[in-house]
Amino acid sequence: MRCAKSGGWYLTVWIQPRAKRTEIVGEQNGKLKIRVNAPPVDSKANKAVLKFLANVLKIKQSELKLVKGKSSREKVIFIDASHPDWEGLNKP
């Protein structure tokens, strides 16, 4: 995770689609690993990741933006929120 010059944060995640449930499972190669209970079709997995992260960070989904990795398992998400609940990312 790194801070953006204009405010906000960049979070790099590694996604495992079609999992039994959506959950954070730890770290993989320096990226937050998230299992998603959605297929990687029609951006369903991308939408599920953004919705899940919004709930975990206790922010609005509109404060998250997928900026890289639309069709990849590795994604970069911009968090445009002043006070996200970072502790939520530590709960597996």
Side-chain angles (χ1 to χ4, degrees):
M1 178 174 22
R2 60 187 168 92
C3 184
K5 290 181 182 177
S6 61
W9 305 88
Y10 287 103
L11 178 64
T12 305
V13 296
W14 182 264
I15 304 303
Q16 178 185 338
R18 289 193 174 120
K20 287 185 180 181
R21 60 181 175 217
T22 301
E23 62 185 346
I24 295 172
V25 291
E27 188 179 321
Q28 180 168 330
N29 298 326
K31 300 162 193 70
L32 183 68
K33 184 175 180 182
I34 302 174
R35 291 184 184 142
V36 181
N37 184 6
V41 199
D42 299 327
S43 292
K44 289 180 182 179
N46 292 337
K47 291 174 187 173
V49 167
L50 295 177
K51 182 177 180 179
F52 175 72
L53 282 175
N55 282 336
V56 167
L57 296 172
K58 298 179 183 171
I59 59 175
K60 297 177 185 175
Q61 194 170 341
S62 62
E63 295 177 299
L64 297 173
K65 182 179 179 183
L66 179 63
V67 293
K68 185 177 177 185
K70 182 178 178 184
S71 60
S72 171
R73 287 183 178 217
E74 181 178 327
K75 302 180 184 306
V76 177
I77 298 168
F78 180 69
I79 303 166
D80 188 19
S82 56
H83 300 292
D85 181 16
W86 298 119
E87 291 299 317
L89 296 179
N90 295 326
K91 299 172 187 171

